[in-house]
Amino acid sequence: MLTTAFRPGAPNWLDLASPDVPASAAFYTTLFGWTSASGPGAARHSLFRQDGRTVAALGPVGSTGDRAAWTVHFRTLDSDRTAGLVREAGGRIRFGPFDVLTSGRTTGCTDPTGADFALWQPHHVRGLESVTEPGSLCWTECFSIDAEAAKTFYRAVFGWQEQDVPLGLDLCTVLTPSGGGTADAHGGICPIPPEDAAAGISSHWLPSFEVPDVDATLATARGLGAAVRLPAEDVHGVGRLARLVDPHGAAFAVVTSAPPG
């Protein structure tokens, strides 16, 4: 499970780039009950909070025509060194490394199969203040056009431990930070479903948010203009989940996790 212990290589930050920041803020605050407030020293950026704790960030897309997207950040002790490992493993650096005021040092990356992600080296901002609770990030998953190539890449960059788990007709590789146990699993790498590949969906990291009731959340999301990529379904050992695309095109999932055991 995702925790705020944030071992190196674990997801520790999440942000949304949107072509319409006010509209995206209205969508997610209504959907999850979040509040939105300006981030420190960043007039165009804001923080989403649940019960007063930061669960994500929101800002504008980099340039006109860029698509909306959620970006998962992974903790590193040295953003510059990890950026070097990304290059050596065949990935691409999209921006950085650079300091975000005194909060931390970030780098935007793309893996060899085309999935974007980022690195976060904490300074004053350690990471998200709430995960796994209702209304917060609970899982991250890389859907890849070449899952084996993706596993090789991330193994070289982060040293993640892997365990293949049957998921329907496919295998999903569950990821655990180096040195962690099964209880520290934070995400997975899966092949893109054939129907998504046929629709032209490329490799991407998908954040999942814990919710009390997937079906109710799905109904609310539809009413707010979201599209459904995967209708609500029960997955043994996981819980009930659905995948969505927000009104501006950013993909995410919602999950009502199965009780432990």
Side-chain angles (χ1 to χ4, degrees):
M1 112 176 10
L2 239 155
T3 75
T4 53
F6 298 138
R7 289 177 177 271
N12 67 339
W13 193 254
L14 181 69
D15 61 37
L16 172 66
S18 171
D20 189 335
V21 169
S24 290
F27 174 82
Y28 286 99
T29 54
T30 303
L31 183 64
F32 292 132
W34 291 343
T35 59
S36 178
S38 296
R44 295 198 304 158
H45 292 74
S46 57
L47 299 176
F48 286 125
R49 292 193 171 101
Q50 179 83 334
D51 298 327
R53 293 177 293 174
T54 301
V55 293
L58 168 65
V61 294
S63 60
T64 302
D66 284 356
R67 62 184 178 87
W70 282 101
T71 300
V72 179
H73 300 238
F74 299 98
R75 188 185 183 211
T76 176
L77 300 178
D78 186 332
S79 193
D80 297 74
R81 179 181 178 277
T82 306
L85 294 176
V86 168
R87 291 189 185 96
E88 290 173 13
R92 181 170 62 89
I93 302 301
R94 291 179 291 111
F95 61 79
F98 61 78
D99 290 324
V100 182
L101 302 176
T102 61
S103 298
R105 191 163 177 80
T106 188
T107 308
C109 311
T110 303
D111 77 20
T113 78
D116 291 341
F117 66 100
L119 309 173
W120 183 254
Q121 177 187 342
H123 295 328
H124 289 162
V125 175
R126 193 164 164 271
L128 302 176
E129 295 173 338
S130 179
V131 297
T132 311
E133 301 294 328
S136 69
L137 181 70
C138 66
W139 193 249
T140 60
E141 210 155 29
C142 180
F143 287 91
S144 180
I145 59 172
D146 188 338
E148 290 304 316
K151 285 190 281 187
T152 299
F153 169 80
Y154 290 107
R155 194 184 306 127
V157 173
F158 294 116
W160 286 338
Q161 300 166 176
E162 304 168 2
Q163 180 182 4
D164 288 336
V165 176
L167 192 64
L169 298 177
D170 294 311
L171 282 178
C172 182
T173 300
V174 173
L175 305 168
T176 304
S178 178
T182 54
D184 300 309
H186 61 76
I189 296 177
C190 300
I192 288 183
E195 61 273 19
D196 286 354
I201 296 172
S202 58
S203 299
H204 61 283
W205 277 93
L206 186 77
S208 295
F209 299 97
E210 184 73 27
V211 296
D213 185 330
V214 162
D215 296 89
T217 302
L218 200 59
T220 300
R222 280 189 175 121
L224 294 169
V228 177
R229 182 173 287 176
L230 176 73
E233 66 175 18
D234 295 314
V235 178
H236 179 71
V238 175
R240 190 162 176 80
L241 61 85
R243 298 188 192 120
L244 304 154
V245 178
D246 76 16
H248 297 290
F252 67 102
V254 290
V255 180
T256 300
S257 296

